[in-house]
Amino acid sequence: MRSSVWARGVVVALAALLAVGAPYAVRAQTADTGRKTLEITVPEEGEYFVRFLPSSDARQPAQLPMRFLDRRTVVEYDLAEIGKKAQVAVDDVKTGNTAIRPLHGPGAPGAGGLDLRKTDFDHIRQVDIRVTYGGKPVKAAQVTLAGRSGAPVTRTVDPAKRGVATFEDVPVGRAKVTVVYGDKLTQSQDVDLVSDHPAGPVKVDVAVANSVPVLDEPGDRASDAGKTAGASTPTADSGAPRETVPASGGVVGWIGNLLGLLIAGGAIYLLYRWAKSGGMAATLQKAGIEVSGPTADTTSATPWSPAAPPPPVVADPSACQFCGQPKDASGRCACSDLPGAAGLSAAGAVGGGAGEPRLIGSVGVYAGAIFAVSSPTTIGRDPSNTIALSNDNTVSRRHATITPNGSECIVADEGSSNGVYVNGVRISGTHALKPGDEVQIGATRFRFEA
């Protein structure tokens, strides 16, 4: 009897504990999965946007970005809606960079919120890779960007995209760009993506080495659009009766009639002047027809003779054909003493006298630049090179060398990431250059002359 009483007491106590503990368990789960607030602090005031990047288990699509201008802002989110592995992204409009952090797990904001520093903005909001051949955008290509972290991302280029593949939230650092184009041709190159870049999207040019269909210039496309706009287009109510407009009706027909009258009047006036001068009478008399009226005056007529051509312009052999300055006794001028364009802009780089070996930019970043290679020359992105191509981030720090050897020049690839191409073919080791050869270094194509 006494044991049954104890059993009943234990059952009642356990039931009470379960009843009291159940609400706490529910509250803990709700607090972990319900709506939360997040305070975000940025390094300085400016224009920023907050985005939530949903994970694969999200129940709602991505929300619109939220704009704020102060150093602090508070946003709300629900992991049950955007996914347990969702991330928060803060975009700095001024720099074009982004800070990305997870909302749950390692690296997630703590109880004090998300306090961001400048070094936390280690992603680039948008990277545009433009694929060209001969300076024109290609019609179709497949572009893959592999950054320092995350899986490679592939974008497809079609005519509507004008040769541009767009990538978002790309981590800074070295990245590899691979382009598949034409008949399954592949070209790869490395690029350095840095956070210190001009505002807006980062633009990367990739000039493919082999011929591929390209798009026309905007002017040609506008002309084609005008032709298409003038074409007849069937409408949905094609079965309805239509009014037939005569070809000569309206303003167009009136202008056509006016032009016809002007042409007829001009022809009549020319016939009148011909008859007045006696030319018509002389022609009829030659045909054996007797006419009366004025005859053409042939006494003072002089046979026509073509004017003598102007004398040819002979260039002054004592002046340089590039800078116009006089040459000295050895044939050198002022531009012969300039270094291989170190410190000069791409459009104004000058070097090399007449007859000396030189590279002339034909297509790309340094189109129009002239670089002398009459002495051992190093080429690269580093300013210490003889020819410094600092404006092209596809050029390695020490990309190539050109060394004169008697009557020829030898180009060598110095272990560059994107290689050296001569007449469209990537070289390995050294290659002897001939006048007229096309040499591609980075995104610029040069013509070798000697």
Side-chain angles (χ1 to χ4, degrees):
M1 181 70 178
R2 198 175 284 181
S3 60
S4 62
V5 172
W6 277 104
R8 291 178 184 177
V10 171
V11 171
V12 172
L14 289 175
L17 288 175
L18 290 174
V20 173
Y24 287 102
V26 172
R27 281 199 298 270
Q29 183 177 3
T30 303
D32 189 43
T33 60
R35 298 195 66 82
K36 297 183 179 181
T37 59
L38 175 63
E39 181 178 356
I40 301 175
T41 305
V42 293
E44 58 186 4
E45 294 183 353
E47 186 178 11
Y48 297 86
F49 284 90
V50 179
R51 297 178 291 124
F52 288 108
L53 308 179
S55 58
S56 59
D57 59 339
R59 295 190 304 189
Q60 290 188 358
Q63 303 174 357
L64 290 175
M66 292 163 282
R67 179 173 178 261
F68 68 99
L69 304 175
D70 298 329
R71 286 196 61 205
R72 289 180 176 84
T73 188
V74 177
V75 294
E76 293 184 352
Y77 66 94
D78 189 346
L79 288 178
E81 295 178 354
I82 61 178
K84 294 182 179 180
K85 295 183 180 181
Q87 297 175 306
V88 60
V90 181
D91 304 325
D92 186 350
V93 176
K94 179 180 178 181
T95 63
N97 297 327
T98 300
I100 301 177
R101 291 292 181 271
L103 288 171
H104 185 72
L114 182 60
D115 189 3
L116 296 174
R117 296 178 174 83
K118 289 185 177 181
T119 55
D120 294 327
F121 290 82
D122 54 358
H123 286 68
I124 299 176
R125 182 67 184 91
Q126 180 174 328
V127 177
D128 292 338
I129 298 178
R130 184 171 182 262
V131 185
T132 62
Y133 175 76
K136 293 184 178 182
V138 302
K139 286 187 175 181
Q142 190 178 67
V143 183
T144 300
L145 179 63
R148 62 177 174 82
S149 61
V153 180
T154 300
R155 296 284 185 266
T156 300
V157 174
D158 55 34
K161 297 177 182 177
R162 302 292 299 168
V164 177
T166 300
F167 299 85
E168 298 180 346
D169 300 332
V170 180
V172 299
R174 178 158 290 243
K176 184 176 183 179
V177 179
T178 303
V179 180
V180 179
Y181 65 100
D183 189 13
K184 296 183 179 180
L185 299 173
T186 303
Q187 181 169 321
S188 299
Q189 68 182 44
D190 294 333
V191 294
D192 290 324
L193 301 175
V194 296
S195 57
D196 184 14
H197 60 85
V202 173
K203 301 184 182 299
V204 178
D205 289 327
V206 178
V208 296
N210 295 282
S211 178
V212 67
V214 296
L215 294 172
D216 295 330
E217 295 299 327
D220 299 334
R221 293 192 296 114
S223 175
D224 295 340
K227 295 177 182 179
T228 305
S232 173
T233 304
T235 58
D237 57 345
S238 58
R242 291 181 175 82
E243 180 182 359
T244 302
V245 180
S248 60
V251 178
V252 176
W254 181 82
I255 294 176
N257 294 334
L258 179 60
L259 289 176
L261 290 174
L262 291 176
I263 294 173
I268 294 172
Y269 175 75
L270 291 177
L271 288 174
Y272 168 76
R273 291 298 304 268
W274 187 31
K276 188 73 173 176
S277 64
M280 179 180 291
T283 302
L284 293 175
Q285 288 176 358
K286 289 181 180 180
I289 302 174
E290 294 293 333
V291 294
S292 61
T295 59
D297 183 12
T298 59
T299 58
S300 60
T302 57
W304 174 85
S305 60
V313 179
V314 180
D316 186 1
S318 64
C320 175
Q321 59 177 327
F322 297 102
C323 64
Q325 300 297 322
K327 301 179 182 178
D328 57 16
S330 62
R332 299 177 64 82
C333 61
C335 68
S336 300
D337 297 328
L338 291 175
L344 297 175
S345 65
V350 180
E356 292 186 359
R358 56 191 177 275
L359 294 177
I360 300 177
S362 57
V363 176
V365 179
Y366 287 88
I370 302 175
F371 300 104
V373 292
S374 57
S375 59
T377 303
T378 61
I379 304 173
R381 196 173 74 249
D382 193 271
S384 63
N385 289 282
T386 311
I387 299 178
L389 305 179
S390 304
N391 295 333
D392 189 349
N393 58 4
T394 63
V395 176
S396 298
R397 295 184 180 276
R398 184 180 175 90
H399 200 105
T401 58
I402 295 181
T403 306
N405 184 15
S407 60
E408 60 183 7
C409 285
I410 306 298
V411 62
D413 187 344
E414 296 296 331
S416 64
S417 299
N418 299 320
V420 177
Y421 292 80
V422 177
N423 297 327
V425 179
R426 183 167 182 170
I427 68 171
S428 59
T430 61
H431 184 88
L433 295 176
K434 296 177 296 189
D437 281 349
E438 295 285 343
V439 182
Q440 180 171 335
I441 297 175
T444 304
R445 191 176 300 163
F446 298 94
R447 184 176 70 257
F448 174 72
E449 292 186 359

